[in-house]
Amino acid sequence: MKVIKFGGSSLANARQFEKVKGIVAADDDRRFVVVSAAGRSDQDDHKITDLLYLCHAHLKYGVNCDTIFSMIEDRFLAIKRELKLRYPMEKDLDVIHNALRKQIPLDYLVSRGEYLTAKLMAEYLGYTFLDAKDLICFSYDGKVDFVKTAEMMDHHLKSHDHFVIPGFYGAMPDGSIRIMARGGSDITGAIVAKIVHADVYENWTDVSGILMADPRIVKQPHQIQKITYSELRELSYMGANVLHEDAIFPVKEAAIPINIRNTNEPENPGTLIMDLSDESSDQQDTLITGIAGRKDFSVVAIYKNHMSNEVGIIRRALSVFEKYHISIEHIPSGIDSFSVVVNHADIKDNIYDIVSEIKAQCECDEVKVINDIALIATVGRHMFSRPGISGQLFAELGKHDINIRMIAQGSDEINIIVGVENKDFEKTTKVIYAHFVKDETK
Ligand code: ASP
């Protein structure tokens, strides 16, 4: 059994709805369909969700939003007309339009994008519409109540077994609608996959899976075929734009693989995200799985003679960062010095206070702040226990005249992180990619 989620661009117009139908019809196991709100079909188009937020912003300041609302109506009615659907959508649109004059809650209004898209899709596929407010239950602390949600699902499964479910929202214990973070339909899909014990959670979007590097830096990077949840976590933490953490957690916990697929290229197998503990089935053409990085870190370097003999100095320095609620990325250390790597944005407003407090706490000789540092992570489960990989990486950067300012490796050996100057960020990514990917796939 498969849970299959479609993103906004896969639902932008009647043509995209037809593709969705083709994909659903191609596999009998695709029984639970979760949809986002209709998105953009091209650059000049608007996401329905954005338009709904805009309506609410107008209402907040007492400005009439009829023009924006009629854009929303036109988009939906065009899909209905072109697909020759019978669902009396005009009535639902009128109810929402009338409510706009009252104090309409933001969550209710914004959730209507998914609601209406799911209504259209349910009729088009001939599946049962299941309102997320009667399925996804939140507790008062805003967390998903999985026990109650599973009970609701069991109840619905008694009468039907093929559903279209709107993503992005659910209900609070008092029945009011609550939306999730932007992009939340991915989370709904993951919750549904977990509670129905799906064999796979297919996430259909407009790219063919996850790429090995940022395509704005590396020209036409390869697509990742298989990636583990931990590798994905490393890559997304370092800046790769993939699924929301909350969309990974429920399926990861239930050991359900996620398959990222492209609605516009359904024959492409996409990327499979899963636990790959069975080494025999874990083949990969390249030694590394992907590269990702971010710019604009700062290194706070602390120097003190004979520091190596002193107890507690790192703790005292870290307590200063804690006081300012600054999250620490890495702590590379030498004999008589250590550095604390943080996001520049987090320290920039308090930098002078932080430096003087570290000096006072640690009684150190010098504190230096080095800005404009980029961190680049080379991630790959196949690097584990293979000697020489970091050697190759550093040698390659040396050959290309790139100065490494910092090195870090996680204890599970699935990543090697190098810190370079911001200006070398793109070059470093290209050099690592060219060495580890292009060479091996020649
Ligand atoms: N429609 C919502 C958004 O644009 C949720 C989603 O697409 O997943 O964020």
Side-chain angles (χ1 to χ4, degrees), residues 5 7-8 36-37 47 49-50 53 110 114 167-168 181-186:
K5 180 259 165 179
S36 283
K47 283 175 128 195
T49 308
D50 289 339
Y53 270 109
V110 173
E114 269 70 12
F168 186 44
R182 290 300 305 260
S185 303
D186 286 338

Side-chain angles (χ1 to χ4, degrees), residues 404-416:
I404 303 175
R405 304 292 297 255
M406 191 211 93
I407 298 165
Q409 183 179 39
S411 48
D412 48 6
E413 293 181 49
I414 65 163
N415 68 353
I416 300 169

